[in-house]
Amino acid sequence: MKRSLGISLYPDHSDPQKDREYIETAHQYGFSRIFMSMLEISEDPEVVQKKFQQLIFFAKERGFETILDVSPAIFEQLNISYDDLGFFHKLGADGIRLDLGFDGKKEALLTFNPYQLAIELNMSNDVAYLENILTHQANTSFLYGCHNFYPQEGTGLPYHFFQSSSERFKKNGIRTAAFITSQSGRIGPWDINDGLPTLEMHRHFSVETAAKHLFATNLIDDIIIGNAYASEEELKSLGHLDRYQTVFRVEFVANINEVERQIVLEEQHVRRGDITDQVIRSTEVRKKYQKYENKAHDTEFEFVVGDVVVGNDRFGKYKNELQIVLEPHSDPRKNKVGHIIQEELILLPFIHPWSKFKFIEK
């Protein structure tokens, strides 16, 4: 399944012109999805319809898919029914996210709405909710899953719970989404906004690292920035992200030579299939660079987790093999050439046998 990037908008807490500018910038960097909140509306239904409609169609013209976050209270306020989703179709929405669920039978029926609006489910519940809906023969082409976000510090999901609840959706082929948080965004649905991530561990991470982590799990298809407005630099960093393989940011040592720099930055790395606990081995590069001299440097100390090392001239057959250190050890036949930045060390467990990976210089 193709992976996409998204932004969030809160029309009842933001300025319409700034929302449009944000959409334009996100479009420039390859974003294609919008989470739009309708949980806080307090205006006349006609005013609400016009405001959301104008914004959604503006986004639609730029290729965005918009999912509206709704709750039963909103249906009451707008005097509309779950039995007729025509109101959301008129707005231009591509789907609605059910903040609260029903009995399974109802959700399945909603996926057959005549407007072909996607019905997005809350993924942040590790119960047989999805399985119940599927037993009622839901139209899975229009069934999505999306995790919650958590505005209060300390209340985001722990990883093991996120993994378990996400696997329920992924194993059934349902499109999945989760939230990361901008470190500059200040707008959310409520008056408390300590960031809007799905995973608590991501709350103070850069958007780039959080997105890499979610993609590396192979459990999430769409990553959405939960708060608004992310900075242009954040949008740019995500727009340039490789969505299908891990690209580590590495800080080089001063003595790195040109051959080592080429090995690190210009090659497609593949973890050897017969793995070891001590290091991640990229062995194919040594064949290409076997004839290139590589004198010893930065060898006389213990390598630590996240160090990137390359075999030097003392290493014989293994000269110019690249490795990422997983367990501290010493070996004078290896040159330390750099170190993966600290917050990206969480990505190492996701480099499996035959995983592809690359590096960029921080």
Side-chain angles (χ1 to χ4, degrees), residues 5 36 70 88 100-101 131 146-147 170 186 190 196 220 253-254 261 267 282 289 303 332 352 356 362:
L5 298 170
M36 191 176 293
V70 300
F88 303 106
L100 295 174
E131 290 84 346
C146 181
H147 276 284
K170 200 61 180 171
R186 296 293 178 265
W190 316 122
L196 295 177
I220 298 300
V253 301
R261 184 179 289 273
E267 301 299 327
S282 174
Y289 292 89
F303 304 127
H352 305 295
K356 283 65 177 174
K362 183 179 182 294

Side-chain angles (χ1 to χ4, degrees), residues 14-30:
S14 58
D15 176 77
Q17 183 56 36
K18 288 184 178 179
D19 286 345
R20 287 174 172 78
E21 292 171 1
Y22 191 43
I23 290 170
E24 287 279 18
T25 306
H27 169 65
Q28 177 185 340
Y29 293 113

Side-chain angles (χ1 to χ4, degrees), residues 45-69:
E46 291 185 6
V47 175
V48 170
Q49 180 173 341
K50 182 178 180 180
K51 178 168 60 176
F52 278 81
Q53 191 175 54
Q54 290 178 344
L55 193 58
I56 291 171
F57 276 96
F58 179 85
K60 191 179 290 289
E61 290 171 359
R62 286 145 186 83
F64 281 88
E65 176 184 39
T66 299
I67 307 295
L68 291 173
D69 193 25

Side-chain angles (χ1 to χ4, degrees), residues 74-114:
I74 296 304
F75 281 76
E76 291 181 15
Q77 283 182 252
L78 297 175
N79 195 29
I80 56 178
S81 168
Y82 282 100
D83 296 323
D84 182 4
L85 302 181
F87 175 81
F88 303 106
H89 174 66
K90 290 177 182 177
L91 294 185
D94 298 286
I96 60 172
R97 182 180 188 272
L98 304 180
D99 190 53
L100 295 174
F102 298 99
D103 60 358
K105 182 179 179 180
K106 181 71 170 181
E107 288 92 335
L109 188 60
L110 286 173
T111 63
F112 287 92
N113 70 84

Side-chain angles (χ1 to χ4, degrees), residues 268-325:
Q268 171 67 69
H269 296 285
V270 182
R271 185 176 189 180
R272 189 179 172 104
D274 48 345
I275 64 171
T276 174
D277 287 335
Q278 188 180 76
V279 292
I280 293 170
R281 300 178 65 193
S282 174
T283 57
E284 289 299 310
V285 293
R286 78 183 189 220
K287 300 174 184 178
K288 180 175 179 179
Y289 292 89
Q290 186 62 39
K291 296 180 180 179
Y292 289 82
E293 181 181 64
N294 192 0
K295 294 181 179 179
H297 67 84
D298 294 277
T299 63
E300 303 303 322
F301 46 78
E302 184 176 63
F303 304 127
V304 299
V305 177
D307 279 349
V308 181
V309 300
V310 173
N312 59 44
D313 290 337
R314 304 175 189 172
F315 219 5
K317 172 183 176 179
Y318 304 107
K319 180 178 71 172
N320 290 329
E321 176 177 310
L322 179 139
Q323 300 176 356
I324 303 174
V325 175

Side-chain angles (χ1 to χ4, degrees), residues 68 140 174 180 237 283 311 340 348:
L68 291 173
T140 55
I174 304 299
I180 60 176
S237 70
T283 57
I340 294 168
L348 292 176

